[in-house]
Amino acid sequence: MTISDGTGVLPGQAIEAMAARREIRAPEPFAEGQIQPASLDLRLGTRAYRVRASFLPGRGRSVAERLADFTMHEMDLTGGAILEKGCVYVVPLMESLSLPAGLSAVTNAKSSTGRLDLLTRTIADCGTEFDRIPEDYSGPLYAEICPRSFSVLATPGLRLNQIRFRRGEAKLDDNALRALHASDRLVTGEATIDEGLAFSVDLSPEAGEISGWRAKPHAGVIDLSRTGAYDASDFWEPVRADRGGIILDPGAFYVLVSREAVHIPPGYAAEMAPYIAMVGEFRVHYAGFFDPGFGHAAAGGAGARGVLEVRCHESPFALEHGQVVGRLIYERMTEPPRTLYGSGIASNYQGQGLKLSKHFRPA
């Protein structure tokens, strides 16, 4: 489904055109697979700055100016450098922008980044919010990186976050979302639509299967450039539900899975967002975007469920099977992408159930 007025999220072919017009700039050509169906992966540059605290530059100030205030030491990533758990780093990205009027951008961590509890946010000059790039912005981009569960080895060119471009208001209201669900079946089971499409947690797996994973507190270093390189048991402990529920421990990080299978039709994209702050003492990390074609049967994704990155706050919290923990915000595309998620591209999580990041061998 498309819309005629040009409003919506830009597909991959439009991102290619932006690069050709120099609205997206980089010192090196895009890497294979860097352009996704509805987003562009952003690449780490060669330097990292260990900073005293997370910060936003604020109106009228550049990130470079604030780095002078907050930097503790500078690191060269060329040969690889360890970003230590609990520390905050700012890394200039390879890509910079020169956005035209009417085109804004939003960024988010990639799925593999979120599943490692690797807090990654984008900062722009004069920014007053993380992960939001206003129209007409011209300048560099930076990634703020804070490893929260595991120390990681980083190198230039790694893609930890991604950017999505939109023209105008693309979000579907609840009436439009109900109509889309009626025609395209967005989730299995009953659809709860209230400021987005609600989804719940699955804590009642098949007999013998685990309910999720919990990060071990004193694990080793993960090389972010390696795929399928690590045993899950070295970094994670399995979580098994007791009578359809688990108790979340304060400060612990969990990888769980949605009860519903999710479907993103070709003419749409979606973003995972928290449900409401009052549902309990935890937060769904909501790592990122759902590209057009995620969970789409024709792209090999029938039955794909959403993986949830969950962190508990100050007090233990009893999480029950079927509890609503987040929602999907659907947006229109300006036009469907030429290639759907999972359809002939390197899509790590099409057709997924409970699954750790790509860095781990299947458990």
Side-chain angles (χ1 to χ4, degrees), residues 252-273:
F253 178 74
Y254 300 81
V255 173
L256 305 174
V257 70
S258 71
R259 183 174 60 162
E260 301 83 5
V262 177
H263 175 214
I264 314 297
Y268 297 86
E271 182 176 358
M272 191 183 290

Side-chain angles (χ1 to χ4, degrees), residues 20-49:
R21 294 192 298 267
R22 302 283 291 165
E23 293 167 359
I24 306 171
R25 302 175 184 177
E28 301 177 7
F30 288 154
E32 182 178 357
Q34 189 175 346
I35 297 179
Q36 297 293 313
S39 61
L40 173 71
D41 293 347
L42 300 172
R43 297 171 291 182
L44 300 185
T46 59
R47 311 298 295 176
Y49 300 86

Side-chain angles (χ1 to χ4, degrees), residues 131-315:
D131 290 330
R132 297 294 184 268
I133 316 297
E135 60 180 83
D136 283 328
Y137 177 77
S138 181
L141 298 174
Y142 300 80
E144 179 198 87
I145 303 170
C146 180
R148 303 184 72 184
S149 287
F150 312 115
S151 296
V152 297
L153 180 68
T155 53
L158 280 173
R159 290 133 61 174
L160 302 184
N161 54 350
Q162 56 195 162
I163 189 167
R164 184 174 282 178
F165 302 93
R166 65 163 66 96
R167 184 176 294 112
E169 178 55 60
K171 178 183 174 182
L172 271 64
D173 62 24
D174 286 348
N175 288 333
L177 198 53
R178 290 186 186 99
L180 182 61
H181 177 67
S183 63
D184 289 80
R185 193 71 182 170
L186 301 180
V187 289
T188 54
E190 182 180 354
T192 300
I193 296 175
D194 181 10
E195 297 186 5
L197 180 65
F199 58 87
S200 61
V201 63
D202 184 4
L203 293 176
S204 182
E206 298 292 331
E209 294 184 359
I210 66 172
S211 299
W213 297 94
R214 169 178 159 150
K216 290 185 173 182
H218 306 294
V221 175
I222 294 174
D223 184 342
L224 296 174
S225 67
R226 302 181 67 190
T227 300
Y230 300 100
D231 287 329
S233 61
D234 291 335
F235 294 85
W236 303 90
E237 55 189 20
V239 173
R240 301 187 186 277
D242 179 17
R243 290 171 291 184
I246 61 174
I247 295 179
L248 303 175
D249 288 326
F253 178 74
Y254 300 81
V255 173
L256 305 174
V257 70
S258 71
R259 183 174 60 162
E260 301 83 5
V262 177
H263 175 214
I264 314 297
Y268 297 86
E271 182 176 358
M272 191 183 290
Y275 188 58
I276 53 174
M278 301 302 291
V279 296
E281 285 295 317
F282 67 94
R283 129 172 196 162
V284 177
H285 189 63
Y286 55 99
F289 304 132
F290 286 70
D291 274 316
F294 181 87
H296 190 56
R305 295 195 283 169
V307 169
L308 314 174
E309 299 95 19
V310 177
R311 176 173 287 279
C312 189
H313 294 322
E314 286 80 10
S315 61

Side-chain angles (χ1 to χ4, degrees), residues 45-66:
T46 59
R47 311 298 295 176
Y49 300 86
R50 166 76 167 92
V51 294
R52 293 185 287 116
S54 174
F55 67 86
L56 284 165
R59 290 185 175 89
R61 304 193 68 178
S62 69
V63 176
E65 288 179 74
R66 302 313 308 276

